[in-house]
Amino acid sequence: MSEFVSGRHFLQTPGPTNLPERVLRAMDRNAINHRGPEFGALGREVIARLRHVLQTAAIIGIFPASGTGAWESALVNTLAPGDRILISRTGQFSHLWEQMARRLGLDVATLETDWRRGADAGAIHSALAEDREHRIKAVCAVHSETSTSCMTDIPAVRSAIDRAAHPALLFVDAISSLGCADYRHDEWGVDVTIAGTQKGLMAPPGLSFTAIGDKALAAARAGGSARSYWDWAPLVAANQTGFFPYTPAINLLFALNEALAMLAEEGLPAVFARHARYAQATRLAAAAWGLELQCADPAAYAPGVTAIRTPDGHSADKLRNVILERFNMSLGNGLGRLEDRIFRIGHMGDLGVLTFTGTLTGVEMGLRAAGIPHQEGGVQAAMNFLAAGGAAA
Ligand SMILES: *Cc1c(COP(=O)(O)O)cnc(C)c1O
Protein backbone atom coordinates (compact mmCIF):
# COMPACT_ATOMS: atom_id res chain seq x y z
CA MET A 1 0.00 0.00 0.00
CA SER A 2 1.37 3.43 -0.86
CA GLU A 3 2.01 5.73 2.08
CA PHE A 4 0.54 8.75 0.39
CA VAL A 5 -3.08 9.45 1.19
CA SER A 6 -4.84 12.05 -0.90
CA GLY A 7 -7.21 14.54 0.71
CA ARG A 8 -7.46 16.00 4.14
CA HIS A 9 -7.48 13.75 7.20
CA PHE A 10 -10.81 13.93 9.05
CA LEU A 11 -9.96 14.53 12.70
CA GLN A 12 -13.35 13.78 14.22
CA THR A 13 -12.17 13.01 17.73
CA PRO A 14 -13.79 14.94 20.60
CA GLY A 15 -10.52 16.76 21.14
CA PRO A 16 -8.15 17.65 19.75
CA THR A 17 -10.44 19.18 17.14
CA ASN A 18 -9.78 20.69 13.73
CA LEU A 19 -7.87 23.96 13.75
CA PRO A 20 -9.45 26.66 11.56
CA GLU A 21 -7.15 28.19 8.94
CA ARG A 22 -7.39 31.52 10.73
CA VAL A 23 -6.09 29.95 13.92
CA LEU A 24 -3.20 28.26 12.10
CA ARG A 25 -2.24 31.56 10.46
CA ALA A 26 -2.47 33.43 13.76
CA MET A 27 0.16 31.25 15.42
CA ASP A 28 2.44 30.99 12.38
CA ARG A 29 4.63 33.91 13.36
CA ASN A 30 7.61 34.76 15.48
CA ALA A 31 7.30 34.80 19.25
CA ILE A 32 7.27 38.21 20.91
CA ASN A 33 8.87 39.57 24.07
CA HIS A 34 6.63 38.34 26.86
CA ARG A 35 7.67 41.31 29.01
CA GLY A 36 6.87 43.86 26.30
CA PRO A 37 3.72 45.95 25.79
CA GLU A 38 2.45 43.92 22.84
CA PHE A 39 2.29 40.82 25.01
CA GLY A 40 0.48 42.60 27.83
CA ALA A 41 -2.25 43.64 25.41
CA LEU A 42 -2.52 40.07 24.09
CA GLY A 43 -2.77 38.62 27.60
CA ARG A 44 -5.50 41.05 28.58
CA GLU A 45 -7.44 40.42 25.38
CA VAL A 46 -7.32 36.62 25.79
CA ILE A 47 -8.55 36.92 29.37
CA ALA A 48 -11.39 39.25 28.35
CA ARG A 49 -12.44 36.88 25.57
CA LEU A 50 -12.28 33.85 27.86
CA ARG A 51 -14.55 35.71 30.27
CA HIS A 52 -17.01 36.17 27.44
CA VAL A 53 -17.27 32.43 26.64
CA LEU A 54 -17.32 31.51 30.34
CA GLN A 55 -19.93 34.23 30.93
CA THR A 56 -18.06 35.48 33.95
CA ALA A 57 -16.28 38.46 35.44
CA ALA A 58 -14.10 36.13 37.55
CA ILE A 59 -10.33 35.88 37.73
CA ILE A 60 -8.94 33.66 34.97
CA GLY A 61 -5.75 31.68 35.59
CA ILE A 62 -4.15 30.36 32.38
CA PHE A 63 -1.64 27.50 32.52
CA PRO A 64 0.63 26.12 29.81
CA ALA A 65 -0.73 22.64 30.54
CA SER A 66 -3.35 20.24 29.30
CA GLY A 67 -6.71 20.20 31.08
CA THR A 68 -5.31 17.74 33.60
CA GLY A 69 -3.04 20.49 34.93
CA ALA A 70 -5.97 22.83 35.51
CA TRP A 71 -7.74 20.05 37.44
CA GLU A 72 -4.71 19.85 39.70
CA SER A 73 -4.56 23.62 40.15
CA ALA A 74 -8.20 23.69 41.29
CA LEU A 75 -7.60 20.97 43.88
CA VAL A 76 -4.23 22.08 45.32
CA ASN A 77 -5.08 25.78 45.60
CA THR A 78 -8.24 25.27 47.61
CA LEU A 79 -7.93 21.95 49.45
CA ALA A 80 -5.44 20.39 51.83
CA PRO A 81 -4.61 16.68 52.22
CA GLY A 82 -7.31 15.03 54.30
CA ASP A 83 -10.04 17.40 53.09
CA ARG A 84 -13.11 15.59 51.86
CA ILE A 85 -14.57 16.07 48.38
CA LEU A 86 -17.62 14.61 46.67
CA ILE A 87 -17.41 13.51 43.05
CA SER A 88 -19.79 11.64 40.75
CA ARG A 89 -18.01 9.06 38.62
CA THR A 90 -20.01 9.66 35.45
CA GLY A 91 -17.31 8.35 33.11
CA GLN A 92 -13.59 8.10 32.50
CA PHE A 93 -12.79 11.80 32.96
CA SER A 94 -14.46 12.09 36.35
CA HIS A 95 -12.71 8.79 37.19
CA LEU A 96 -9.31 10.28 36.33
CA TRP A 97 -10.08 13.45 38.29
CA GLU A 98 -11.13 11.32 41.25
CA GLN A 99 -7.91 9.29 41.04
CA MET A 100 -5.87 12.50 40.97
CA ALA A 101 -7.66 13.74 44.09
CA ARG A 102 -6.80 10.50 45.89
CA ARG A 103 -3.15 10.77 44.88
CA LEU A 104 -3.10 14.31 46.27
CA GLY A 105 -4.20 12.91 49.63
CA LEU A 106 -7.80 14.11 49.55
CA ASP A 107 -10.51 12.07 51.20
CA VAL A 108 -12.78 11.30 48.26
CA ALA A 109 -16.43 10.30 48.50
CA THR A 110 -17.49 8.89 45.14
CA LEU A 111 -21.02 8.59 43.80
CA GLU A 112 -21.20 5.85 41.16
CA THR A 113 -23.29 5.94 37.99
CA ASP A 114 -23.74 3.51 35.10
CA TRP A 115 -21.81 5.86 32.77
CA ARG A 116 -25.00 6.40 30.74
CA ARG A 117 -26.27 9.62 32.30
CA GLY A 118 -25.07 12.75 34.08
CA ALA A 119 -24.47 13.16 37.79
CA ASP A 120 -27.54 12.64 39.97
CA ALA A 121 -28.25 15.96 41.69
CA GLY A 122 -30.59 14.18 44.12
CA ALA A 123 -27.77 11.87 45.27
CA ILE A 124 -25.47 14.89 45.67
CA HIS A 125 -28.16 16.62 47.73
CA SER A 126 -28.56 13.56 50.01
CA ALA A 127 -24.80 13.23 50.55
CA LEU A 128 -24.56 16.91 51.49
CA ALA A 129 -27.66 16.87 53.68
CA GLU A 130 -26.17 13.95 55.64
CA ASP A 131 -22.90 15.79 56.08
CA ARG A 132 -24.06 17.89 59.04
CA GLU A 133 -20.52 18.68 60.20
CA HIS A 134 -19.73 20.10 56.75
CA ARG A 135 -16.70 17.89 56.25
CA ILE A 136 -17.20 17.95 52.47
CA LYS A 137 -15.19 20.92 51.21
CA ALA A 138 -15.91 20.65 47.50
CA VAL A 139 -18.26 19.03 45.00
CA CYS A 140 -16.66 18.13 41.65
CA ALA A 141 -18.75 17.73 38.50
CA VAL A 142 -17.86 17.16 34.85
CA HIS A 143 -20.24 19.21 32.69
CA SER A 144 -19.78 17.20 29.49
CA GLU A 145 -18.43 13.68 30.16
CA THR A 146 -16.59 13.32 26.88
CA SER A 147 -16.15 9.57 27.45
CA THR A 148 -19.90 8.86 27.52
CA SER A 149 -21.36 11.94 25.75
CA CYS A 150 -23.59 12.68 28.76
CA MET A 151 -24.06 16.13 30.28
CA THR A 152 -24.47 16.93 33.95
CA ASP A 153 -27.03 19.62 34.77
CA ILE A 154 -24.83 22.13 36.61
CA PRO A 155 -27.64 24.44 37.82
CA ALA A 156 -29.29 21.32 39.33
CA VAL A 157 -26.05 20.50 41.17
CA ARG A 158 -25.81 24.11 42.39
CA SER A 159 -29.36 23.96 43.66
CA ALA A 160 -28.65 20.60 45.39
CA ILE A 161 -25.84 22.32 47.31
CA ASP A 162 -27.99 25.34 48.13
CA ARG A 163 -31.00 23.29 49.25
CA ALA A 164 -28.71 21.46 51.68
CA ALA A 165 -27.46 24.89 52.85
CA HIS A 166 -23.99 23.39 52.50
CA PRO A 167 -20.85 25.57 52.19
CA ALA A 168 -18.94 23.20 49.85
CA LEU A 169 -17.23 24.76 46.84
CA LEU A 170 -18.48 23.73 43.39
CA PHE A 171 -15.80 22.77 40.84
CA VAL A 172 -16.88 22.14 37.26
CA ASP A 173 -14.85 20.57 34.47
CA ALA A 174 -16.13 22.34 31.33
CA ILE A 175 -13.22 21.12 29.20
CA SER A 176 -15.37 19.65 26.44
CA SER A 177 -18.49 21.76 26.87
CA LEU A 178 -17.03 25.25 26.60
CA GLY A 179 -17.64 26.57 23.10
CA CYS A 180 -20.24 23.82 22.47
CA ALA A 181 -22.89 24.33 25.13
CA ASP A 182 -24.18 27.32 27.03
CA TYR A 183 -22.01 27.72 30.11
CA ARG A 184 -22.53 30.37 32.80
CA HIS A 185 -19.87 30.45 35.47
CA ASP A 186 -21.35 33.43 37.33
CA GLU A 187 -25.06 32.83 36.95
CA TRP A 188 -24.74 29.15 37.88
CA GLY A 189 -22.74 29.96 40.99
CA VAL A 190 -19.71 27.86 40.06
CA ASP A 191 -16.66 28.47 42.27
CA VAL A 192 -14.00 27.09 39.91
CA THR A 193 -14.48 26.25 36.24
CA ILE A 194 -11.79 24.26 34.48
CA ALA A 195 -11.41 24.29 30.70
CA GLY A 196 -8.87 23.72 27.95
CA THR A 197 -8.13 24.80 24.42
CA GLN A 198 -8.28 21.69 22.25
CA LYS A 199 -11.97 20.84 22.27
CA GLY A 200 -14.77 23.30 21.56
CA LEU A 201 -12.38 26.25 21.63
CA MET A 202 -10.75 25.22 18.31
CA ALA A 203 -7.18 25.92 19.45
CA PRO A 204 -4.20 23.56 19.71
CA PRO A 205 -3.73 21.39 22.80
CA GLY A 206 -1.45 22.81 25.46
CA LEU A 207 -3.33 25.51 27.35
CA SER A 208 -5.85 25.16 30.13
CA PHE A 209 -7.44 27.61 32.50
CA THR A 210 -9.48 28.07 35.61
CA ALA A 211 -12.14 30.70 36.24
CA ILE A 212 -11.88 31.40 39.94
CA GLY A 213 -14.74 32.85 41.97
CA ASP A 214 -14.29 34.91 45.14
CA LYS A 215 -15.07 32.08 47.53
CA ALA A 216 -12.44 29.87 45.90
CA LEU A 217 -9.92 32.70 45.92
CA ALA A 218 -10.53 33.19 49.63
CA ALA A 219 -10.05 29.46 50.25
CA ALA A 220 -6.78 29.60 48.32
CA ARG A 221 -5.56 32.60 50.30
CA ALA A 222 -6.46 30.91 53.59
CA GLY A 223 -4.87 27.54 52.87
CA GLY A 224 -4.84 24.77 50.29
CA SER A 225 -2.00 22.31 49.69
CA ALA A 226 1.71 22.90 49.24
CA ARG A 227 2.03 24.22 45.70
CA SER A 228 4.33 26.28 43.57
CA TYR A 229 3.86 26.02 39.80
CA TRP A 230 0.09 25.61 40.16
CA ASP A 231 -0.31 28.50 42.58
CA TRP A 232 -3.03 30.95 41.57
CA ALA A 233 -1.60 33.94 43.46
CA PRO A 234 0.83 35.18 40.77
CA LEU A 235 -1.80 34.62 38.07
CA VAL A 236 -4.34 36.86 39.80
CA ALA A 237 -2.10 39.82 39.02
CA ALA A 238 -1.95 38.78 35.37
CA ASN A 239 -5.66 39.57 35.03
CA GLN A 240 -4.91 43.29 35.26
CA THR A 241 -1.54 43.46 33.48
CA GLY A 242 -1.77 40.59 30.99
CA PHE A 243 1.69 39.39 32.03
CA PHE A 244 2.56 35.95 33.38
CA PRO A 245 4.96 34.87 36.16
CA TYR A 246 6.99 32.78 33.69
CA THR A 247 7.38 32.49 29.92
CA PRO A 248 3.85 32.01 28.62
CA ALA A 249 2.99 29.74 25.67
CA ILE A 250 2.99 32.81 23.43
CA ASN A 251 2.13 31.22 20.11
CA LEU A 252 -0.65 29.13 21.65
CA LEU A 253 -2.08 32.36 23.03
CA PHE A 254 -2.01 33.88 19.52
CA ALA A 255 -4.00 30.84 18.39
CA LEU A 256 -6.46 30.92 21.26
CA ASN A 257 -7.06 34.64 20.86
CA GLU A 258 -7.99 34.17 17.20
CA ALA A 259 -10.24 31.20 17.96
CA LEU A 260 -12.04 33.19 20.65
CA ALA A 261 -12.48 36.08 18.20
CA MET A 262 -14.10 33.65 15.76
CA LEU A 263 -16.54 32.41 18.42
CA ALA A 264 -17.48 36.01 19.20
CA GLU A 265 -17.99 36.78 15.49
CA GLU A 266 -20.27 33.77 15.00
CA GLY A 267 -22.04 34.67 18.25
CA LEU A 268 -22.40 32.23 21.13
CA PRO A 269 -26.11 31.46 20.51
CA ALA A 270 -25.33 30.52 16.89
CA VAL A 271 -22.35 28.42 18.02
CA PHE A 272 -24.50 26.48 20.49
CA ALA A 273 -27.32 26.03 17.94
CA ARG A 274 -24.84 24.67 15.39
CA HIS A 275 -23.54 22.11 17.88
CA ALA A 276 -27.07 21.11 18.90
CA ARG A 277 -27.97 20.63 15.21
CA TYR A 278 -25.01 18.34 14.49
CA ALA A 279 -25.62 16.38 17.68
CA GLN A 280 -29.24 15.81 16.75
CA ALA A 281 -28.33 14.88 13.17
CA THR A 282 -25.84 12.35 14.56
CA ARG A 283 -28.49 10.81 16.80
CA LEU A 284 -30.89 10.59 13.85
CA ALA A 285 -28.19 8.79 11.89
CA ALA A 286 -27.52 6.37 14.77
CA ALA A 287 -31.24 5.64 15.07
CA ALA A 288 -31.48 4.91 11.34
CA TRP A 289 -28.44 2.63 11.56
CA GLY A 290 -30.21 0.83 14.40
CA LEU A 291 -27.33 1.47 16.78
CA GLU A 292 -27.71 2.33 20.44
CA LEU A 293 -26.44 5.55 22.00
CA GLN A 294 -24.24 5.29 25.08
CA CYS A 295 -26.16 8.13 26.71
CA ALA A 296 -29.45 6.69 27.97
CA ASP A 297 -30.96 9.98 29.13
CA PRO A 298 -32.30 12.21 26.32
CA ALA A 299 -32.10 15.23 28.63
CA ALA A 300 -28.35 14.64 28.95
CA TYR A 301 -27.27 14.31 25.31
CA ALA A 302 -24.00 16.19 24.76
CA PRO A 303 -23.83 18.73 21.93
CA GLY A 304 -20.16 18.19 21.06
CA VAL A 305 -19.74 14.42 20.94
CA THR A 306 -21.92 11.36 20.46
CA ALA A 307 -20.86 7.96 21.80
CA ILE A 308 -22.42 5.04 19.92
CA ARG A 309 -22.40 1.41 21.05
CA THR A 310 -21.55 -1.36 18.61
CA PRO A 311 -23.77 -4.46 18.82
CA ASP A 312 -22.59 -7.11 21.33
CA GLY A 313 -19.73 -9.15 19.94
CA HIS A 314 -18.67 -6.46 17.47
CA SER A 315 -15.46 -4.56 18.15
CA ALA A 316 -15.74 -0.78 18.11
CA ASP A 317 -11.94 -0.53 17.81
CA LYS A 318 -11.97 -2.69 14.69
CA LEU A 319 -14.58 -0.39 13.21
CA ARG A 320 -12.45 2.66 14.00
CA ASN A 321 -9.38 1.01 12.47
CA VAL A 322 -11.23 0.20 9.27
CA ILE A 323 -12.49 3.79 9.07
CA LEU A 324 -8.97 5.14 9.61
CA GLU A 325 -7.34 2.85 7.06
CA ARG A 326 -10.00 2.98 4.38
CA PHE A 327 -11.42 6.46 4.77
CA ASN A 328 -8.69 8.49 6.50
CA MET A 329 -10.81 9.54 9.46
CA SER A 330 -10.05 9.42 13.20
CA LEU A 331 -12.90 8.84 15.67
CA GLY A 332 -12.79 8.77 19.46
CA ASN A 333 -12.30 5.38 21.12
CA GLY A 334 -14.05 3.90 24.13
CA LEU A 335 -12.21 4.82 27.33
CA GLY A 336 -11.78 2.83 30.52
CA ARG A 337 -14.57 0.36 31.00
CA LEU A 338 -16.08 1.35 27.63
CA GLU A 339 -12.97 0.27 25.72
CA ASP A 340 -13.89 -1.44 22.45
CA ARG A 341 -17.64 -1.12 23.28
CA ILE A 342 -18.28 2.33 21.83
CA PHE A 343 -16.96 4.73 19.24
CA ARG A 344 -17.30 8.46 19.65
CA ILE A 345 -18.05 10.91 16.86
CA GLY A 346 -16.62 14.32 17.68
CA HIS A 347 -18.78 17.09 16.19
CA MET A 348 -17.34 19.97 18.17
CA GLY A 349 -15.29 22.99 17.22
CA ASP A 350 -14.68 24.17 13.67
CA LEU A 351 -17.02 22.07 11.57
CA GLY A 352 -18.94 23.01 8.43
CA VAL A 353 -22.04 21.15 7.42
CA LEU A 354 -20.32 19.26 4.59
CA THR A 355 -17.39 18.16 6.75
CA PHE A 356 -19.96 17.01 9.26
CA THR A 357 -22.03 15.01 6.77
CA GLY A 358 -18.77 13.66 5.30
CA THR A 359 -17.97 12.40 8.80
CA LEU A 360 -21.26 10.51 9.00
CA THR A 361 -20.63 9.14 5.49
CA GLY A 362 -17.28 7.76 6.67
CA VAL A 363 -19.00 6.08 9.60
CA GLU A 364 -21.72 4.53 7.43
CA MET A 365 -19.20 3.22 4.90
CA GLY A 366 -17.09 1.95 7.80
CA LEU A 367 -20.01 0.07 9.35
CA ARG A 368 -20.45 -1.77 6.07
CA ALA A 369 -16.73 -2.37 5.49
CA ALA A 370 -16.25 -3.69 9.03
CA GLY A 371 -19.25 -5.99 8.81
CA ILE A 372 -21.13 -4.36 11.70
CA PRO A 373 -24.83 -5.26 11.55
CA HIS A 374 -26.76 -2.09 10.79
CA GLN A 375 -29.38 -0.61 8.50
CA GLU A 376 -28.56 1.86 5.78
CA GLY A 377 -29.93 5.36 5.69
CA GLY A 378 -28.22 7.09 8.61
CA VAL A 379 -26.53 9.68 6.42
CA GLN A 380 -29.79 10.20 4.54
CA ALA A 381 -31.68 10.81 7.80
CA ALA A 382 -29.08 13.39 8.86
CA MET A 383 -29.15 15.07 5.46
CA ASN A 384 -32.95 15.26 5.48
CA PHE A 385 -32.83 16.95 8.87
CA LEU A 386 -30.06 19.39 7.94
CA ALA A 387 -31.47 20.23 4.51
CA ALA A 388 -34.80 21.09 6.13
CA GLY A 389 -32.97 23.64 8.29
CA GLY A 390 -32.22 21.31 11.18
CA ALA A 391 -34.37 22.96 13.80
CA ALA A 392 -32.57 21.59 16.85
CA ALA A 393 -34.88 20.13 19.43
C1 LIG B 1 -10.18 16.00 27.40
C2 LIG B 1 -10.79 16.08 28.75
C3 LIG B 1 -10.02 16.12 29.92
C4 LIG B 1 -8.53 15.96 29.91
O1 LIG B 1 -7.92 17.04 29.36
P1 LIG B 1 -6.39 16.93 28.87
O2 LIG B 1 -6.24 18.20 28.11
O3 LIG B 1 -6.29 15.69 28.04
O4 LIG B 1 -5.57 16.87 30.09
C5 LIG B 1 -10.66 16.26 31.11
N1 LIG B 1 -11.99 16.35 31.19
C6 LIG B 1 -12.77 16.29 30.10
C7 LIG B 1 -14.25 16.39 30.26
C8 LIG B 1 -12.20 16.15 28.85
O5 LIG B 1 -12.97 16.08 27.76
Side-chain angles (χ1 to χ4, degrees), residues 14 66-69 71 93 142 144-146 173 175-176 198-199:
S66 83
T68 302
W71 272 349
F93 288 107
V142 174
S144 164
E145 233 317 339
T146 325
D173 170 342
I175 293 178
S176 79
Q198 80 272 27
K199 311 225 170 157

Side-chain angles (χ1 to χ4, degrees), residues 92-113:
Q92 181 68 4
F93 288 107
S94 31
H95 170 68
L96 293 173
W97 200 7
E98 187 242 24
Q99 296 291 305
M100 169 189 275
R102 291 188 191 280
R103 282 192 296 273
L104 291 170
L106 300 175
D107 172 14
V108 184
T110 308
L111 298 170
E112 302 293 349
T113 78

Side-chain angles (χ1 to χ4, degrees), residues 182-260:
D182 196 12
Y183 187 84
R184 304 176 180 218
H185 175 92
D186 288 358
E187 189 183 315
W188 294 353
V190 180
D191 293 296
V192 182
T193 300
I194 292 135
T197 41
Q198 80 272 27
K199 311 225 170 157
L201 295 194
M202 317 185 289
L207 288 178
S208 55
F209 30 90
T210 45
I212 315 163
D214 290 340
K215 203 169 137 191
L217 271 184
R221 272 195 290 270
S225 299
R227 58 197 187 267
S228 170
Y229 189 73
W230 300 116
D231 195 6
W232 283 337
L235 294 170
V236 171
N239 281 248
Q240 269 69 53
T241 62
F243 294 106
F244 285 71
Y246 41 68
T247 315
I250 297 164
N251 294 62
L252 291 181
L253 289 165
F254 288 145
L256 176 61
N257 198 31
E258 186 68 19
L260 292 168

Side-chain angles (χ1 to χ4, degrees), residues 24-47:
L24 291 170
R25 299 291 83 82
M27 65 190 290
D28 179 16
R29 51 173 293 198
N30 207 350
I32 57 174
N33 174 14
H34 66 289
R35 309 269 183 228
E38 190 188 350
F39 184 83
L42 171 69
R44 292 192 301 273
E45 190 163 53
V46 169
I47 286 166

Side-chain angles (χ1 to χ4, degrees), residues 6 24 57 88 90 155 288 342 346 368 388 393:
S6 170
L24 291 170
S88 291
T90 49
I342 62 167
R368 181 189 287 214

Side-chain angles (χ1 to χ4, degrees), residues 236-314:
V236 171
N239 281 248
Q240 269 69 53
T241 62
F243 294 106
F244 285 71
Y246 41 68
T247 315
I250 297 164
N251 294 62
L252 291 181
L253 289 165
F254 288 145
L256 176 61
N257 198 31
E258 186 68 19
L260 292 168
M262 291 173 68
L263 289 175
E265 278 171 42
E266 186 174 354
L268 292 181
V271 170
F272 303 149
R274 169 167 58 81
H275 282 85
R277 242 181 351 261
Y278 292 167
Q280 187 169 355
T282 305
R283 294 192 298 269
L284 289 170
W289 291 324
L291 298 180
E292 198 185 336
L293 302 174
Q294 175 63 20
C295 186
D297 175 7
Y301 291 148
V305 55
T306 301
I308 299 175
R309 297 171 69 87
T310 46
D312 284 342
H314 292 273

